[in-house]
């Protein structure tokens, strides 16, 4: 089993930055991929960025997000980060960290992940 705990959310003005953290515990050696997802009220959960446990491969939902967000990991701390810059009001959502033991076909597909954190709220105001 793997437990995930997110932190770092909050309220910022448009153009601001936040760094989300996801601390993993338990059977962390079994994790192959981790990712950040977000879900806004009334919308489906969507993948934002994913990373292979070795850090050798990352993926972002689109080029625009890749230019503003950066996913990284600190294996010594079993922690994955999401640095978010130039935040926009449309980035407002609950952000979730997820992990999987498998090798997903697409690392930004929510159903690829079997472990989830409780989420951390990000609110961006104009």
């Amino acid at each position: 089993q793997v437990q995930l705990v997110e932190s770092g959310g909050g309220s910022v003005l448009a153009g601001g930055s936040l760094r989300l953290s996801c601390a993993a515990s338990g059977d962390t050696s079994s994790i192959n991929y981790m990712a950040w997802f977000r879900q806004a009220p009334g919308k489906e959960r969507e993948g934002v960025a994913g990373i292979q446990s070795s850090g050798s491969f990352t993926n972002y939902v689109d080029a625009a997000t890749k230019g503003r967000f950066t996913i990284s990991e600190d294996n010594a701390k079993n922690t994955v980060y999401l640095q978010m810059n130039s935040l926009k009001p449309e980035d407002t959502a609950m952000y979730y960290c997820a992990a999987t033991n498998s090798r997903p076909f697409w690392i930004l597909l929510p159903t690829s992940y079997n472990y989830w954190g409780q989420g951390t709220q990000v609110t961006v105001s104009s």
Side-chain angles (χ1 to χ4, degrees):
Q1 292 290 318
V2 173
Q3 294 78 43
L4 303 173
V5 178
E6 303 101 331
S7 61
S11 297
V12 296
L13 294 175
S17 299
L18 285 172
R19 188 178 79 156
L20 306 184
S21 300
C22 174
S25 60
D27 188 16
T28 57
S29 63
S30 70
I31 297 174
N32 280 330
Y33 289 86
M34 296 186 70
W36 286 97
F37 292 82
R38 66 186 181 188
Q39 188 167 18
K43 295 187 177 181
E44 293 186 355
R45 188 168 299 189
E46 66 170 353
V48 176
I51 187 167
Q52 189 176 17
S53 61
S54 66
S56 61
F57 176 77
T58 60
N59 195 20
Y60 296 85
V61 61
D62 54 40
T65 301
K66 184 178 182 179
R68 299 188 297 125
F69 294 2
T70 302
I71 189 169
S72 62
E73 63 178 2
D74 183 336
N75 284 327
K77 297 181 178 180
N78 293 317
T79 300
V80 171
Y81 304 96
L82 184 68
Q83 178 67 44
M84 304 187 295
N85 299 325
S86 302
L87 283 163
K88 304 175 181 180
E90 51 263 44
D91 294 318
T92 295
M94 184 71 78
Y95 283 70
Y96 297 91
C97 175
T100 180
N101 312 118
S102 66
R103 296 181 181 275
F105 175 74
W106 183 35
I107 69 171
L108 296 183
L109 185 65
T111 54
S112 298
Y113 291 82
N114 48 339
Y115 299 108
W116 292 85
Q118 293 299 308
T120 185
Q121 178 68 37
V122 172
T123 303
V124 185
S125 57
S126 58

